[in-house]
Every structure is written in structure tokens, then in C-alpha cells.
Amino acid sequence: MHILLTWLLVASPFAAQADVSRGSRVVAPNVTTSSVVAIGGNLDVYGRVAGNAAAVRGDLIVHPGGRVDGKAVAILGTVRNEGGSIGGPVREFRGREAHAGFARTYVVSNSPWRPMRLAISWLLVVMVIGFAVISVAGDKVEIVVNTIRGGVGKSVWSGVLGQLAILPGAVGVIVLLGVTIIGILLIPLGLVAYMFLVSGIAMFGFIAVALLTGAAITGGKSRDDTARGAMLRAFLTGAAAYVGLWIVAAAFAWMPLIGALLRSLAAGATFIAVTAGFGAVLRSYWRGDF
């Protein structure tokens, strides 16, 4: 199992075949080798590894003068850079924070708890904002929902065009404020206000998409006595569905291939939802529905 996992992490179609050995392994000074894997011992690198290096049930130690061109991976161990050079990412698969001494490399944590906590935190934030928006402007949210129902494809394309117009819009804000001296001083504040407006439109649209998705998941069934309560329940279901994709992806973060596929799925679904919602808000505004 360790050998298979190591191959998935270290090997690639374009890399040379890794040199796998049991027990401790030393790459001597002034020696250049291809990808190296040590199973059941430490891997000490004094020379150069022209590829990836991995230690299973041991530590990967890059000594002064040592060099790893690719990834540095430790499974059930640690990666210690004691003065050498690591060109690729440093990864430790042991479910805790990596060694704090990596000054010139970065660590990709494969523990699922951090991304899961982040996804759950985003879910709570979206819930609070969504409940507030639906409670205060539920009629406006319904307008956007009806716009999406009238044409999902049109909303998506409008959202794409709207996103492409974000940067020119920021330039327009700068130009308009730069006409006067006072306006020049207000350019930073104007840009912040502009980005808040764009973010607000995107969030408002996502709330509408989540509400529509939740209504589709529940099949229109509701135990609520009021229309506003039904909207809140549908939004809760839809938002949980979208953020739930990120939680599932985080749960498989320790499996690089499956985790990457699930993250791509979650990112794609979120992008389409935000884009469709963004476009629906713009279409509703252009048509004067508000």
C-alpha cells in the first residue's frame, strides 16, 4: 500500500522510473540520481536528486549542498531541509503541521481537517448572509430566481460578460474619479466601494441560485406555513449542497488524485452557480424588474 501511494505521489508519465529501496538510503555528495524512494528508513540527500524524493516510514533530510529538483514527500515521517535546496512542493502525510523550519519551500497539508473547517466556516458565513438577505429583500431574490428560471443559459452568458466587464469597470471608476483633484483622493475608496458592489451582486445571485437548487432538491415540498419560511428552508438546502461538495473534497484531500477531481467538481459547480446568479441579477436590473 505504501509503495502504491508513493508511486502515485512521486511518479509521473514524464518522470524517470523511481529508484525504490528498503531501509535507509543516502544520496552521496557529487552524485546525481533520478527519483528516489526509501521505504522503512530515512532518505539523506547530500547530492542531487534530478526528480522527486520520498521517504516512507522515515524522514527525508536534505543536507547542506543537497538538492531535490522535484517534490519532497514524507509518508509517516517528516521532511527536513537542513540547508539544501528543494525545487518542488514539500508534502508530509501524517495529519499534523509540518516542520516549522522550511524557509524557502512551502508545505501542502494533506490533513482534511483544515479545508473541512474552512468549508464549514464558509457555509456558516453564507447562511448568515443569505438569511439576512432573504429576510430583508426576499421579493428581490424571487425576481432573480424567476429570471434564472426564464433562461439558465442566458443568465450564465450574461454572468460571463459581466465578469469580463469587472476590470474595465474598475478602470472606468478610476477615470471618472480622476477628473477632479478631490476625486483623485477618493480613488482608493471608490475602488473598494466598487469591489463591494461586485461582491454583493455575486453573493445576491448565488443566494438566488442556492434557493432555486434547494427547491429542486426538495421537490417543492415544504413544511413551512409561510412563503418566507419556505424560501429560507430551500436556501439552506441549496447552500448546503454547494458547500457540501467542498466538504466532501476536503474529506478526500489525503488522496491527491481523487481529492483533485472532487475539488475540480466543486469549483466548477460553484463557478457556474455564481456566474448564473451574477448574470441573473444583471439581467433583472437591465430589464427594470427591480
Side-chain angles (χ1 to χ4, degrees):
M1 181 65 182
H2 291 317
I3 297 177
L4 177 59
L5 181 58
T6 304
W7 184 88
L8 290 174
L9 296 173
V10 178
S12 68
F14 306 100
Q17 184 177 1
D19 184 4
V20 181
S21 61
R22 293 190 174 274
S24 298
R25 176 74 180 271
V26 177
V27 179
N30 301 321
V31 172
T32 300
T33 184
S34 59
S35 296
V36 179
V37 179
I39 300 177
N42 294 340
L43 174 57
D44 293 273
V45 179
Y46 295 90
R48 177 187 177 188
V49 177
N52 306 309
V56 182
R57 289 184 283 111
D59 297 337
L60 170 57
I61 308 170
V62 184
H63 297 272
R67 176 180 174 183
V68 177
D69 294 344
K71 300 177 183 178
V73 181
I75 301 175
L76 302 179
T78 60
V79 178
R80 304 206 306 268
N81 185 357
E82 298 185 349
S85 173
I86 301 177
V90 176
R91 291 176 176 154
E92 293 184 344
F93 294 84
R94 51 185 306 168
R96 65 175 180 82
E97 292 294 332
H99 194 273
F102 301 135
R104 298 190 179 182
T105 60
Y106 62 90
V107 176
V108 178
S109 175
N110 291 275
S111 171
W113 299 115
R114 178 178 295 180
M116 287 184 67
R117 288 196 299 266
L118 181 61
I120 294 174
S121 299
W122 270 110
L123 177 61
L124 295 177
V125 171
V126 171
M127 291 298 179
V128 171
I129 297 176
F131 278 26
V133 170
I134 293 175
S135 299
V136 175
D139 54 338
K140 304 296 189 300
V141 176
E142 285 187 286
I143 292 175
V144 179
V145 169
N146 292 330
T147 301
I148 299 173
R149 285 176 176 156
V152 177
K154 294 179 181 179
S155 297
V156 172
W157 281 111
S158 299
V160 171
L161 294 176
Q163 292 171 358
L164 293 176
I166 291 177
L167 183 58
V171 175
V173 171
I174 296 174
V175 172
L176 291 176
L177 291 177
V179 175
T180 63
I181 296 178
I182 296 179
I184 293 176
L185 299 177
L186 295 177
I187 286 178
L189 182 60
L191 289 176
V192 171
Y194 174 75
M195 294 310 300
F196 266 107
L197 175 63
V198 172
S199 301
I201 293 175
M203 177 59 72
F204 196 92
F206 177 77
I207 291 171
V209 173
L211 194 157
L212 186 60
T213 303
I217 293 175
T218 58
K221 299 179 181 179
S222 176
R223 299 186 300 271
D224 301 279
D225 296 330
T226 63
R228 193 57 53 87
M231 290 179 63
L232 291 174
R233 184 180 296 277
F235 167 72
L236 174 63
T237 303
Y242 284 108
V243 182
L245 293 175
W246 290 100
I247 296 176
V248 172
F252 287 89
W254 62 278
M255 301 179 66
L257 180 59
I258 297 179
L261 292 175
L262 292 175
R263 285 193 298 271
S264 299
L265 175 62
T270 304
F271 174 78
I272 293 175
V274 173
T275 302
F278 192 84
V281 174
L282 296 180
R283 290 183 64 211
S284 300
Y285 177 79
W286 291 335
R287 296 187 309 190
D289 295 340
F290 290 150

